[in-house]
Amino acid sequence: MQASSKKRLRPATAETEGQSTFRQGRLKGKYTHETESDPVEYEVLVQLKSEVLDPEGRAIQEVLKLQGVTGVTAVTVAKRYLVTLEAGCKNPDATIQDVAARYLANPVAQVFQVKQLFP
Amino acid sequence: MSPLKVVASSLRVGVLQFPGSNCDADCVDALRRHFQIEAVLVWHQETKLPKLDAVIIPGGFSFGDYLRSGALAAHAPVMQEVKKFAEKGGAVLGICNGFQILVESKILPGMLLHNLSQTFICKTVHLKDPAGNILTMPMAHGEGRFYVDKKALEVLNEEGLIAYQYCDLKGDVNEASNPNGAAANIAGLYSRNKKVLGMMPHPERATDVAMGGSKDGLVVLRNFIDRI
């Protein structure tokens, strides 16, 4: 892969803070950086299809009800993966879709959502 | 033939080994001791299977059950060979984690989800086969709730691919006898050609009365060997 060009560093703002704690953690929480040749970080959420019983979500919902929390109509449990693709990856969006569809989720009973966190 | 009768056999069966497999030795022992079948261990990184008549994918926690049970093992090099072996009509038996690997490999349909109770369940269960025989053996898993959508379940029923269903002592298949919430109480499943069998309970752990009082696992293994 091509060598990374000079990175433009900029301070994390209130807006970017919390969007990518994984990356900020590696940069000691001070800066985020963004160039075309930066690594690309994605969040992939995997959860059961709506028609498949989610016993963990149902149990949480039941306990909330027993605790007197009102108004909770559904709880769904999802698994969150953070995946970073190397700088210079030719088609990161297609790559992450492929990774999510073939490995992270099983389409028999699960669905997934991909969100780019960085840059 | 009686499942308990020891017969000399020229069959050669491969038992796969993944990091985290823990029932491989039990499978080898059951084949050698009760059926005099030569069993060889096959490492997960093998890119070519030795000359084999059948493959057993044993139970355990391959790759720590990370991602989903069986999901990482399904992509191991040896599984690409097992897929080809099964496509050519080779006999494959997947037990517990082996069943999970078979569905994650798409060699068998469906998916195995976390048990309805969200707990690891280790207990003796009763199974009913299509002929109505009731077998007793242990189950030990956290992700064994077999799931397919309604349409696929109808196909499994119509084509007679449900190998074993959880039942009670009388053979009744009902909600009370379903330990993990599996669709239609499914504990084991055949491929279309009936050469591939995946099941969550452990036949290799029920081959001697000293193991808990049941030898019914030998019946399952005998049936599997007869289909090779």
Side-chain angles (χ1 to χ4, degrees):
Chain A
M1 280 299 142
Q2 69 189 76
S4 177
S5 63
K6 283 183 184 174
K7 291 181 169 68
R8 287 184 286 116
L9 297 176
R10 65 178 173 79
T13 62
E15 207 172 279
T16 57
E17 198 116 26
Q19 280 186 2
S20 177
T21 51
F22 179 56
R23 172 157 300 282
Q24 285 170 9
R26 281 188 302 188
L27 294 174
K28 298 179 182 174
K30 283 186 178 176
Y31 296 99
T32 59
H33 57 176
E34 51 180 20
T35 72
E36 285 180 3
S37 59
D38 273 333
V40 188
E41 186 181 319
Y42 291 95
E43 173 193 81
V44 182
L45 285 179
V46 179
Q47 68 186 61
L48 292 171
K49 288 178 178 174
S50 57
E51 64 266 31
V52 181
L53 177 63
D54 171 10
E56 192 173 357
R58 195 174 68 172
I60 295 167
Q61 191 183 346
E62 285 299 314
V63 169
L64 291 175
K65 193 177 168 186
L66 290 170
Q67 292 290 310
V69 180
T70 56
V72 179
T73 56
V75 177
T76 305
V77 176
K79 201 166 180 180
R80 179 176 183 246
Y81 300 89
L82 294 175
V83 182
T84 305
L85 301 182
E86 65 183 344
C89 178
K90 279 183 183 172
N91 199 341
D93 287 345
T95 302
I96 192 65
Q97 286 290 336
D98 184 51
V99 167
R102 287 177 60 196
Y103 300 93
L104 302 183
N106 184 330
V108 172
Q110 295 177 319
V111 289
F112 66 88
Q113 285 179 338
V114 175
K115 183 179 167 189
Q116 186 176 328
L117 294 182
F118 185 87
Chain B
M1 183 183 293
S2 163
L4 306 182
K5 189 173 178 181
V6 175
V7 291
S9 172
S10 58
L11 294 175
R12 197 159 186 258
V13 177
V15 177
L16 304 192
Q17 267 189 324
F18 298 90
S21 295
N22 63 13
C23 299
D24 40 341
D26 291 348
C27 290
V28 170
D29 179 73
L31 292 173
R32 283 182 183 162
R33 188 193 301 257
H34 299 287
F35 301 98
Q36 291 192 339
I37 286 177
E38 184 191 356
V40 291
L41 293 169
V42 182
W43 188 233
H44 69 111
Q45 287 180 323
E46 295 294 339
T47 53
K48 198 176 176 187
L49 287 177
K51 195 176 179 322
L52 297 172
D53 299 298
V55 171
I56 293 183
I57 312 176
F61 302 88
S62 58
F63 295 94
D65 274 354
Y66 295 154
L67 190 59
R68 296 176 302 277
S69 295
L72 295 177
H75 295 283
V78 76
M79 282 311 299
Q80 312 320 308
E81 295 306 301
V82 172
K83 262 186 204 176
K84 291 177 198 165
F85 182 77
E87 281 165 9
K88 286 178 190 166
V92 182
L93 169 61
I95 301 167
C96 197
N97 190 221
F99 186 18
Q100 293 163 338
I101 295 169
L102 284 173
V103 298
E104 286 288 343
S105 305
K106 311 278 185 270
I107 294 172
L108 288 177
M111 187 175 169
L112 290 151
L113 303 172
H114 282 283
N115 296 341
L116 203 54
S117 62
Q118 291 289 302
T119 57
F120 188 96
I121 303 171
C122 182
K123 67 174 189 177
T124 299
V125 288
H126 307 293
L127 308 175
K128 192 174 188 176
D129 70 12
N133 300 313
I134 300 168
L135 306 174
T136 301
M137 65 192 71
M139 65 173 257
H141 59 251
E143 292 178 48
R145 176 167 53 116
F146 182 77
Y147 171 82
V148 280
D149 62 29
K150 282 182 185 173
K151 203 176 166 186
L153 186 59
E154 280 172 20
V155 172
L156 295 179
N157 262 315
E158 283 166 12
E159 299 189 2
L161 303 182
I162 299 174
Y164 299 104
Q165 286 173 293
Y166 299 105
C167 66
D168 60 21
L169 255 176
K170 293 177 185 171
D172 290 334
V173 176
N174 51 41
E175 203 178 327
S177 61
N178 189 343
N180 55 18
N185 284 39
I186 289 173
L189 200 65
Y190 287 122
S191 60
R192 279 210 161 96
N193 65 3
K194 303 257 177 106
K195 289 281 192 174
V196 181
L197 167 63
M199 62 188 296
M200 289 311 298
H202 287 268
E204 82 287 4
R205 294 188 194 175
T207 57
D208 194 302
V209 285
M211 299 170 91
S214 172
K215 289 184 180 178
D216 289 352
L218 291 173
V219 179
V220 173
L221 295 175
R222 176 81 263 166
N223 289 340
F224 173 69
I225 291 162
D226 287 345
R227 282 196 308 276
I228 294 174

